[in-house]
Amino acid sequence: MALTVPVSAGYPVLGSTVTVKGANGASISAKGDASTGIASFTTSQVSSLGNPPYLVKSTGGKANGVTVPVSSDYYSIATATTGRVNVTPITHLLAVQATGATNLTGISNLFASGFTPAKAAALPPAILAARIHVANALKATNPLIDIGDVDPLTVIFVYGDSHDKFLDAIASTLASNLDATLDTIQMNVTAVAKNETPTPLISFQRLVVFGDSLSDGGAYTVWASGAASGANRFVGTTPLQMLAAAAPYGGKFTTNPGTVWVENLAATVGYDLKPANLMGGAQSSMDLSKFGCTTCTNYAQGGSRVALQPGIGNVGTTANPVNVAFPLAGFAGNAAGAPVAANPVLLGAALADYTVTNTFLGASTLPVTQQIDQHLASTYTTEGKFAATDLVIVLAGANDVFTQAGLAGAKAITGDAAGQAVATAASALVAQVARIKAAGAKNILVVGLPDMGVNPYAAANGAATAGALTYFSLNVFNPTLKAGLASSVSGVAYLDPVPLFSAVVAAPGAYGFTKVVDSTSSASALESAACGPNVIAQHAVGDSAASPSSLYCSVANSTLSIVGTLRALFADESYVFADGVHPTTKMHKVLTQYVREKMGDLFAASLAPAAP
């Protein structure tokens, strides 16, 4: 075959009619393959068109089982008589810009009767300029669509690779914006070409996050920074200024002051995501929305469970100090995943007042249910609901797994009972996602649990502990969550993080890591964590010497006179784990990139109409 024409719009467009037209007025047509979406033309067919370049059009066909409407005809340009020429939404934008056709109607008219030898002769230099304008316009439209300097006309791509994901991101961007079409993005291409300001068409303009320590953006910074450094570091004129001043000393479950994955993701769309609350450690609780913060929409808190209170690290409140009898051990247990004592509180015997206004003696650990309550009651939501342009992220359940595995390990409950409790937590999370959906959220990303049996804590505590954590997370929680979402909550994107973490463990060097988990001994396993002992935190809050919490961990900073607690220089960028179970700053970056690569595909699928 002389010319092959793959047609794709995120999914291969199967059975479309592909027409190639020469400037001599001749045209040839072929049906795209029913399984690949590729149309093929012979040398003799192409020779009838005269000299290139040629205009290319795809009409009809089905993408993911859904018929492509006429309003989604796609165009492209073939610059040679042989080889590959793609037809995608990106090539469409390029073809319209290079030909000066302005929009879909314009290029349709040009294709029908206006493609002349003079037009063809002007195309080669125009194509080069159009490639730059399209790339810049797509990135300005949605930062997730950064095609770089690749040639969209000829780049070889397959389902699931980086270029295919750009097509997914275009589909999800259009689906998430009312009345938006490729012509809407085309206006941005025109604006870029004229050095005018393009209009962002981001699928989401605000992040709202619910969950636990993996997404916690610093809810415990007030007391954790003080416990980590031996002094009150919460200084400044406003809560956010104070938060920034305290953050380098501790407060997040990573290598501080590094950012966690949801913060990284928010930054890609220019949203300055901050914690919704500052609370815990006998400090007065602060709901930051009441201090004028409009981006304080990260409700995640370390230790939080899906629906039950208390979570790990919670020892009661001043309003109801029922747990004061239990030693305040900071977050050593949560960070290192230490066995959970089978006390009456965790077994559900205690009733306590865990409202946002209370002073929490340890960690506040507000469950996801209460986190959502708080958001719906906040002053900066859309009529007390979620906006259509919100990206709502839900990641929780790890602390339910730790809690139930700890109780079963302590023989307080049976393994079957623990498994049922984990499944109940997963089902409760499904109900909360449905609640979010009902409150107006359009873009919801639910993230499953990683393999909780693969980390320094699990390795240090032996095969039985690791096996139980793996089983509860991968064989109970995730399947229950995924099945529940599929059966009862439509239009929700589910992301499985297990493949990423498995890939990192299998080939850490490919991701820039030198240390994952050393299973030689219990001690070596715990020393696989980037964060070393913090003597100040040990005295202040009983932080573990053998397995210190990342909550009190910091990177050296000579300007702030921070010595730092990393076990090795640049461990925040070369180790996978910050402590027994939490990722380092670098691993959060890797997770962010993974999420970005998957999001377009996930949301395009979740927002697409059902196949007939």
Side-chain angles (χ1 to χ4, degrees), residues 246-496:
Y249 299 88
K252 298 177 188 175
F253 295 87
T254 188
T255 42
N256 291 284
T259 49
V260 298
W261 73 280
V262 289
E263 293 175 301
N264 299 337
L265 190 61
T268 66
V269 295
Y271 186 72
D272 189 20
L273 181 66
K274 297 296 182 186
N277 302 303
L278 296 176
M279 56 208 317
Q283 301 284 341
S284 298
S285 299
M286 283 187 283
D287 177 347
L288 292 180
S289 71
K290 304 207 184 316
F291 289 84
C293 178
T294 58
T295 64
C296 292
T297 51
N298 184 351
Y299 297 86
Q301 298 185 357
S304 294
R305 297 162 71 183
V306 173
L308 299 180
Q309 182 73 290
I312 297 176
N314 184 293
V315 291
T317 68
T318 52
N320 192 341
V322 66
N323 296 345
V324 169
F326 299 100
L328 175 58
F331 256 82
N334 186 34
V340 181
N343 62 62
V345 175
L346 289 176
L347 290 172
L351 294 176
D353 182 4
Y354 294 109
T355 66
V356 175
T357 57
N358 281 331
T359 298
F360 292 82
L361 301 178
S364 44
T365 67
L366 294 182
V368 170
T369 53
Q370 287 186 254
Q371 294 172 20
I372 297 171
D373 288 344
Q374 185 185 354
H375 177 74
L376 294 179
S378 65
T379 58
Y380 48 72
T381 56
T382 303
E383 297 179 352
K385 298 184 178 182
F386 295 93
T389 52
D390 286 345
L391 171 62
V392 184
I393 294 176
V394 182
L395 170 52
N399 292 308
D400 290 277
V401 170
F402 277 130
T403 296
Q404 302 306 330
L407 292 172
K411 307 301 182 185
I413 59 176
T414 66
D416 287 345
Q420 182 56 54
V422 170
T424 298
S427 296
L429 192 59
V430 172
Q432 293 307 306
V433 174
R435 182 182 174 206
I436 291 169
K437 183 81 175 175
K442 191 169 184 179
N443 302 313
I444 305 174
L445 177 65
V446 180
V447 184
L449 298 180
D451 185 344
M452 293 174 59
V454 180
N455 50 56
Y457 160 70
N461 284 273
T465 297
L469 291 173
T470 292
Y471 178 78
F472 286 138
S473 55
L474 301 194
N475 295 81
V476 180
F477 190 89
N478 284 356
T480 305
L481 173 62
K482 188 174 182 180
L485 293 173
S487 65
S488 61
V489 192
S490 62
V492 172
Y494 175 81
L495 176 68
D496 183 2

Side-chain angles (χ1 to χ4, degrees), residues 515-531:
K515 177 80 74 173
V516 184
V517 180
D518 181 352
S519 302
T520 305
S521 67
S522 177
S524 65
L526 293 177
E527 289 171 1
S528 299
C531 297

Side-chain angles (χ1 to χ4, degrees), residues 56-68:
V56 185
K57 177 174 74 168
S58 170
T59 299
K62 291 187 176 182
N64 193 29
V66 179
T67 299
V68 177

Side-chain angles (χ1 to χ4, degrees), residues 39-114:
S40 301
F41 299 90
T42 65
T43 301
S44 61
Q45 286 178 302
V46 177
S47 65
S48 68
L49 305 178
N51 294 325
Y54 314 123
L55 291 185
V56 185
K57 177 174 74 168
S58 170
T59 299
K62 291 187 176 182
N64 193 29
V66 179
T67 299
V68 177
V70 175
S71 59
S72 288
D73 280 357
Y74 298 117
Y75 290 81
S76 187
I77 300 172
T79 59
T81 59
T82 61
R84 173 189 178 112
V85 56
N86 301 316
V87 180
T88 70
I90 300 177
T91 69
H92 175 96
L93 296 170
L94 190 154
V96 173
Q97 178 62 26
T99 59
T102 305
N103 53 30
L104 175 61
T105 299
I107 197 167
S108 177
N109 293 336
L110 176 69
F111 191 91
S113 60

Side-chain angles (χ1 to χ4, degrees), residues 97 133 187-197:
Q97 178 62 26
H133 296 149
M187 289 189 289
N188 278 346
V189 179
T190 302
V192 167
K194 294 180 177 180
N195 291 319
E196 297 174 352
T197 302

